[in-house]
Amino acid sequence: MSKTYIIGNWKLNPETIKKAESLVRGIIAKVSSSRTKEIAIASPFPFLSMMKTVADKKISLGAQDVSMYDDGAHTGDVSAMMLKSMGVKYCIVGHSERRADGETNEMVAIKVRKLLDEKIMPIICVGESDRDTAGNYRDILAEQVRISCAKITPKEADSFFIAYEPVWAIGEKAKRGAHPDECLEATVIIRRELANIVKDTKKATNAVILYGGSSSQETAPEFLRVGGVQGFLLGRLSLDAKSFSSFISSL
Ligand code: PEP
């Protein structure tokens, strides 16, 4: 049986470490990783140490960004080696909210390399801003994958995840999530680009792709069945232990 991946992205939440601890305790009281489901939370950096102690392998540790640098004069940055030393297993890179703040595909590629060098699994976010009727979104998506993944070697074909997150479907302002068939089309484009990068169509077919963007427990099983993905990156839902755990239980 193949594994399903559910990764929560807490973003800039919750407000305090006390609230973060209560949230993660609420989550692990209801769910934990198993042979068939891998659960991880990408928490803010200051909570990582607490998360490691409290979660105690029931859920894996994730981070939301990494520095392009290893050390030196980069105020505010956190390096891949620092994350590794905290027990971080996954790290989101290229989230649309960071891309909106100026992160380019080239910067994402450098971050991916840093993470791979530390054996941290990058979760590389890609996704178009609009589904234009002319179909330009296909080229945008392909270019994001091509450049963001350019520093991955063929031997690392199973060392990274892609998160397909159409920007128009993310967050409170989204009018709707994507349909599974829209997601499937995106995964075909992504896998075609990955095949060139890892130089192996079968490995590209097996690469883990997550869907993110207003996912719900009603639609999630259909995404796994026909959407071409093996799991989900969840924003808002991961901030409520009950919603997050019932989403996971529904899969
Ligand atoms: C996200 O921002 O990664 C995300 C998927 O958010 P939401 O689930 O809240 O749409």
Side-chain angles (χ1 to χ4, degrees), residues 183-248:
C183 182
L184 179 64
E185 186 201 19
T187 65
V188 170
I189 296 167
I190 292 167
R191 292 187 199 284
R192 196 174 57 214
E193 291 304 323
L194 289 180
N196 290 331
I197 288 157
V198 302
K199 310 215 179 318
D200 188 318
T201 313
K202 190 154 179 268
K203 286 184 179 163
T205 306
N206 291 335
V208 172
I209 303 182
L210 311 175
Y211 171 72
S214 304
S215 300
S216 73
Q217 108 184 38
E218 289 71 38
T219 57
E222 195 65 358
F223 273 83
L224 292 180
R225 208 172 62 79
V226 294
V229 295
Q230 291 79 27
F232 301 90
L233 184 57
L234 300 172
R236 286 158 292 165
L237 266 185
S238 66
L239 291 170
D240 181 79
K242 195 158 170 273
S243 313
F244 190 55
S245 58
S246 29
F247 181 93
I248 293 166

Side-chain angles (χ1 to χ4, degrees), residues 66-218:
V66 67
S67 176
M68 291 192 292
Y69 308 101
D70 294 330
D71 53 24
H74 303 286
T75 304
D77 275 20
V78 174
S79 73
M81 197 184 283
M82 290 172 183
L83 293 179
K84 186 70 185 182
S85 71
M86 297 298 293
V88 165
K89 183 171 176 188
Y90 299 98
C91 182
I92 297 170
V93 277
H95 192 279
S96 59
E97 288 153 11
R98 299 210 68 86
R99 289 179 185 266
D101 282 344
E103 187 156 285
T104 62
N105 289 321
E106 287 78 6
M107 290 162 75
V108 174
I110 294 169
K111 293 180 176 192
V112 168
R113 190 63 257 156
K114 293 292 175 197
L115 293 168
L116 289 172
D117 288 345
E118 291 299 330
K119 307 266 180 290
I120 294 173
M121 186 80 88
I123 300 174
I124 307 162
C125 298
V126 294
E128 74 280 3
S129 303
D130 297 303
R131 276 251 158 170
D132 58 306
T133 43
N136 293 323
Y137 68 88
R138 298 189 184 103
D139 296 336
I140 291 164
L141 189 55
E143 185 180 89
Q144 284 180 343
V145 178
R146 195 159 52 243
I147 305 176
S148 301
C149 298
K151 294 183 189 296
I152 296 172
T153 66
K155 278 195 187 137
E156 293 166 328
D158 58 0
S159 305
F160 64 93
F161 291 176
I162 301 285
Y164 171 59
E165 297 212 305
V167 182
W168 49 268
I170 295 177
E172 266 161 8
K173 292 197 184 117
K175 290 198 185 75
R176 65 172 180 94
H179 291 299
D181 53 350
E182 292 170 317
C183 182
L184 179 64
E185 186 201 19
T187 65
V188 170
I189 296 167
I190 292 167
R191 292 187 199 284
R192 196 174 57 214
E193 291 304 323
L194 289 180
N196 290 331
I197 288 157
V198 302
K199 310 215 179 318
D200 188 318
T201 313
K202 190 154 179 268
K203 286 184 179 163
T205 306
N206 291 335
V208 172
I209 303 182
L210 311 175
Y211 171 72
S214 304
S215 300
S216 73
Q217 108 184 38
E218 289 71 38

